[in-house]
Amino acid sequence: MLTMPVRQLGESERRAVERLLDLDPYAGAQVAERVAARGLAWWRAEARILGYGSRRNLESICWLGGNLTPVLASESAVAAFAEQLGEEERLCSSIVGRADAVLGLWDRLSGHWGPARDVRPNQPLLATDAVPPVAPDPQVRRVRGGEVDRLFPAAVAMYTEEVGVSPMAEDGGRGYRRRVTELVRAGRAYARFVDGRVVFKAELAVVTRRTAQVQGVWVAPEWRGRGIAAAAMAAVVRDALSRVAPTVSLYVNDFNLPARRVYERCGFRPVGTLATVLF
């Protein structure tokens, strides 16, 4: 397979990167948000963006920061990125993106970076631009600034359950608490409180001009099976569409059938498949 050299991109190629990200607005949403906020200079973005293709025709990019995210990576681009990255120490905590690219990278990098803690090869990527047909839960609302202490234990429980490790382990949870606080202050955290406790939560973890991406969806264990999730998600989607972005998107593990049924009821449709490698 013939491949072109991979190069680190700079601010002078920002327009080309933004045009490419517009071609994959859902799978590339996290990268698009960071580029919009901090540009391509690595010292501002706290990451590098690698490019594949000629200067006149950028074909693929790969974000390398806390996460490694390939965007529109063809088979030849995957091979070229892997050749470059295989010579470096792994610094990222996960690889996430379109399944074909992520699994292709991992197939080539596992001998250098392995073992992985978990590989999730099939995560349906879903999106909607319509108000859900489900009536929204009126008790689901944006979390207020003074409610971070009530939200944080639920956020820790969600993260631990979903990722398999506690966010408290690395630095006592200080970094994760800052992130939760930022989302609350930005009006991007939602919850339903009952007697002061969170029974449902979700966040707009990524926001671009094209989509608001929901993450951190969680129902308290004692409330599961009561049918509250669909109405709660409907409230989140309605608010996000009216206030934040023209579409709402998310991705879900293929084995999480209850969640997939909730999202289907709320009008989400498949727009691709992601994969995640966790370290």
Side-chain angles (χ1 to χ4, degrees):
M1 182 186 302
L2 295 177
T3 61
M4 287 178 280
V6 169
R7 66 186 189 282
Q8 183 170 324
L9 305 179
E11 191 66 22
S12 63
E13 295 181 275
R14 181 168 177 171
R15 287 189 178 182
V17 169
E18 289 173 338
R19 284 195 296 268
L20 191 146
L21 288 167
D22 274 342
L23 297 176
D24 200 2
Y26 303 123
Q30 187 171 16
V31 178
E33 182 186 54
R34 295 296 297 273
V35 169
R38 298 190 177 185
L40 271 66
W42 65 266
W43 59 87
R44 290 200 304 269
E46 298 176 345
R48 291 182 291 149
I49 292 189
L50 306 178
Y52 177 83
S54 68
R55 293 190 178 275
R56 292 187 177 183
N57 182 29
L58 182 64
E59 297 180 20
S60 308
I61 61 172
C62 192
W63 172 273
L64 182 57
N67 301 320
L68 173 62
T69 302
V71 180
L72 293 179
S74 62
E75 186 176 354
S76 58
V78 166
F81 289 140
E83 183 177 359
Q84 171 79 21
L85 296 169
E87 298 176 356
E88 303 180 12
E89 178 185 0
R90 177 185 63 80
L91 299 176
C92 61
S93 61
S94 67
I95 307 173
V96 59
R98 294 274 179 183
D100 54 352
V102 167
L103 299 177
L105 280 170
W106 183 234
D107 184 57
R108 292 169 170 84
L109 290 172
S110 57
H112 304 280
W113 286 5
R117 184 167 50 82
D118 193 11
V119 177
R120 301 177 182 180
N122 183 6
Q123 298 175 303
L125 177 62
L126 312 173
T128 183
D129 60 2
V131 172
V134 178
D137 184 343
Q139 296 184 66
V140 172
R141 58 172 174 80
R142 296 196 296 275
V143 179
R144 303 182 185 110
E147 296 173 322
V148 172
D149 286 342
R150 293 180 178 179
L151 177 63
F152 189 65
V156 171
M158 178 282 305
Y159 187 100
T160 304
E161 185 176 330
E162 173 64 20
V163 180
V165 296
S166 172
M168 307 295 286
E170 185 172 342
D171 60 355
R174 290 186 296 274
Y176 188 59
R177 186 181 178 88
R178 283 195 299 271
R179 174 60 174 164
V180 171
T181 302
E182 289 170 1
L183 291 170
V184 170
R185 288 175 176 170
R188 289 163 54 173
Y190 300 83
R192 176 180 171 181
F193 294 89
V194 175
D195 297 329
R197 294 183 62 250
V198 174
V199 301
F200 167 87
K201 64 167 284 293
E203 292 90 39
L204 305 180
V206 176
V207 172
T208 72
R209 63 187 181 86
R210 302 289 297 277
T211 194
Q213 195 162 95
V214 180
Q215 296 180 16
V217 180
W218 181 83
V219 175
E222 65 272 21
W223 282 76
R224 294 172 190 175
R226 299 191 189 187
I228 72 168
M233 275 299 300
V236 173
V237 173
R238 279 176 175 261
D239 184 73
L241 288 175
S242 67
R243 189 177 59 88
V244 181
T247 70
V248 178
S249 58
L250 55 84
Y251 59 100
V252 58
N253 291 316
D254 63 326
F255 53 79
N256 192 345
L257 298 180
R260 293 178 67 179
R261 286 193 289 268
V262 165
Y263 301 144
E264 184 177 2
R265 288 186 60 194
C266 289
F268 284 89
R269 66 188 188 279
V271 292
T273 302
L274 302 191
T276 301
V277 179
L278 296 168
F279 299 105

